[in-house]
Amino acid sequence: MTGDHRTLAMVLFGAFIAVTLAITTWAGRRRHGSPEEFYAGGRLFSPMENGFAIAGDHLSAASFLGVPGLIALFGYDGVLYCIGFLVAWLVVLFLVAELVRNCGRFTLADVVAARMRERPVRIASGAASVTVSVLYLVAQMVGAGSLVALLLDGAGTQARTGMVVAVGALMVVYVAFGGMRATTWIQIVKAVLLLGGAAALTALVLLRFHGDIGALLNTAAQHSGHGGEFLAPGLKYGRTWTSRLDFISLGLALVLGTAGLPHILARFSTVPTARAARRSAVWSIGLIGGFSLMTILLGFGAAAVLGGDAVRASGTAGNTAVPLLALHLGGGAGSTGGTVLFAVVAAVAFATILAVVAGITLASSASVAHDLYASLRRPRGAGRSAQDGEVTVARIAAVGVGAVAIGLALLARDLNVAFLVGLAFAVAASANLPALLYALFWRRFTTRGAVWSVYGGLLPAITLVALSPVVSGTPESLFPGRDFAYFPLDNPGVVSIPLGFLMGWLGTVLSPEAADRARHAETEIRSLTGAGAV
């Protein structure tokens, strides 16, 4: 790319960083140092504000870069990601949004441990939440690396490494100094920018084809290199029994995983009532649904305008399809319009990554401090000074989580970001969702059942990923020169999600202690009515 591309994109990106740092400074001055302020922003956000923030949390690098890239490469099968991401929000709306707001305080473990022995449940749930968060962070960091490689025209691994480290440093600053209040407003600003940028690109794609979606699809099929197969199921997930099973596994992970993502569940703690939580979910569904429709058009637009070969030439994972599409829609390389549009899209993508990693880092640091540290180092219900110490630990934990995510992102830099997010969804659906649903709806559920459910989903999911083609056995693996891919599927959800539910049931029926019916009744009344909610 030309120097104009780089300069303008960096100026726009720098402007976004300046705005977000100003928000962080403003939020830092307003904070009181209490856990409620740091983790939940004082619970003062309106449903619309929180709905935009939830959409900002959900619309990540996978949504803006990975999904259109998959659609540009695999057509119909890439659209399945959009459908899975959107349907997942119906699960959140109807099953968990209000109940989590009424039962929880800051983290997922608050809900699960409400009627259990807290220490073992918090340790298990906290470990699972941190694992999911790190996997999700890796996807965002990989997106940052792909963008800088395109922006600097293959400047080498040092430039990609520097950008990944810079993103990690900024997210630590946002979380450590601004807490939930700053993170939420950053998400709102980012959501507006992302939706506006996607709408502008979608309008340009439709103008290119005079509003004829049929012509758009036919041209995409012709230029994709796959012909009619591009618009039919099976190009990626239908050729073998393994790929078909992988599709089922991916679908389960995407539909069920959202309800187990720690940073999404934490959003329902930032509003004052359960009704506000439900309305937040409705706002987010509308915003995410509109964005998903635009994403589909952008993916097919990239295939039609650029062609499948050009998308692959820029990166085999397809992560750069949207920035390249913007460049061509604006007039091509070297044109003023192309330069401006490319720079705007690159800056919005950077903003997307920064905002999402801030939200995920906050959720993971909250799990470390509020669940792991609080359970291992001090008794629950300690005084104000101990709670202030918990917030300090959360800020320190943000640094550690960021460092781990940076290291893993540098290792996985050549994988598609939507695919990496699918792995995070699978772990969330395997480890977090079974324990959450059992705790909310099963009267007999016990502490042993909760612990077995979390570990029974978490450990198989991580083990199966380690033994899958994602890690070894193919040229696209993390370790292409090694082969210990004994599990044939890329996504472990079809095995690990049922295991999580099964182990929760088995641990409960084999538990020597009976469930505390009085605490269950109290939790049930609070979850359904909001009586006694924090």
Side-chain angles (χ1 to χ4, degrees), residues 360-378:
I360 302 168
T361 304
L362 178 61
S364 57
S365 63
S367 294
V368 171
H370 186 64
D371 298 328
L372 298 177
Y373 167 78
S375 296
L376 295 172
R377 293 297 183 184
R378 67 174 179 84

Side-chain angles (χ1 to χ4, degrees), residues 407-408 411-412 414-415 465-466 468-485:
L408 292 176
L411 189 64
D414 294 323
L415 296 180
V465 169
S468 74
V470 176
V471 176
S472 69
T474 70
E476 294 80 24
S477 301
L478 296 181
F479 302 104
R482 308 289 298 274
D483 188 1
F484 45 87

Side-chain angles (χ1 to χ4, degrees), residues 21 33 42 74 78 99 148 153 167 175 213 221-222 227 242 285 309 343 373 393 402 448 453 482 508 513 519 528:
L21 288 177
F74 301 106
L99 305 184
V148 77
D153 197 17
V167 170
V175 172
I213 295 179
Q222 293 170 9
T242 303
I285 289 174
D309 292 339
Y373 167 78
V393 171
R448 175 180 287 186
S453 177
R482 308 289 298 274
T508 296
E513 60 179 346
R519 292 185 68 182
L528 295 175

Side-chain angles (χ1 to χ4, degrees), residues 103-330:
C103 287
R105 191 177 177 216
F106 305 127
T107 66
L108 172 67
D110 288 331
V111 181
V112 179
R115 43 181 287 224
M116 314 287 178
R117 286 187 288 113
E118 291 200 22
R119 183 184 175 93
V121 173
R122 286 189 179 277
I123 292 173
S125 184
S129 294
V130 171
T131 302
V132 171
S133 298
V134 169
L135 285 173
Y136 213 110
L137 281 172
V138 169
Q140 312 311 313
M141 301 293 194
V142 169
S146 298
L147 268 178
V148 77
L150 178 62
L151 187 64
L152 301 182
D153 197 17
T157 56
Q158 289 185 348
R160 297 182 71 171
T161 301
M163 179 54 66
V164 169
V165 173
V167 170
L170 282 170
M171 75 182 183
V172 170
V173 171
Y174 294 150
V175 172
F177 293 98
M180 179 59 84
R181 189 183 298 273
T183 301
T184 298
W185 281 109
I186 290 169
Q187 294 289 11
I188 293 171
V189 172
K190 166 257 177 147
V192 172
L193 291 174
L194 183 59
L195 290 165
L201 281 182
T202 302
L204 290 175
V205 169
L206 292 176
L207 285 174
R208 172 68 68 93
F209 294 92
H210 308 290
D212 189 342
I213 295 179
L216 167 63
L217 296 178
N218 290 330
T219 306
Q222 293 170 9
H223 293 174
S224 67
H226 299 291
E229 292 183 353
F230 188 72
L231 302 179
L235 187 59
K236 180 175 176 60
Y237 293 112
R239 297 190 182 276
T240 65
W241 71 267
T242 303
S243 63
R244 295 187 185 100
L245 195 58
D246 223 346
F247 162 66
I248 296 173
S249 188
L250 174 66
L252 283 173
L254 294 181
V255 171
L256 299 178
T258 300
L261 291 175
H263 66 290
I264 296 297
L265 294 176
R267 282 271 155 226
F268 297 117
S269 299
T270 64
V271 290
T273 65
R275 182 170 181 267
R278 182 180 69 250
R279 292 175 61 195
S280 297
V282 172
W283 269 99
S284 65
I285 289 174
L287 295 170
I288 293 168
F291 184 84
S292 296
L293 293 176
M294 292 187 287
T295 298
I296 294 172
L297 292 175
L298 291 178
F300 284 116
V305 175
L306 304 173
D309 292 339
V311 174
R312 291 184 186 88
S314 178
T316 56
N319 293 331
T320 56
V322 170
L324 286 176
L325 174 63
L327 177 64
H328 282 72
L329 290 175

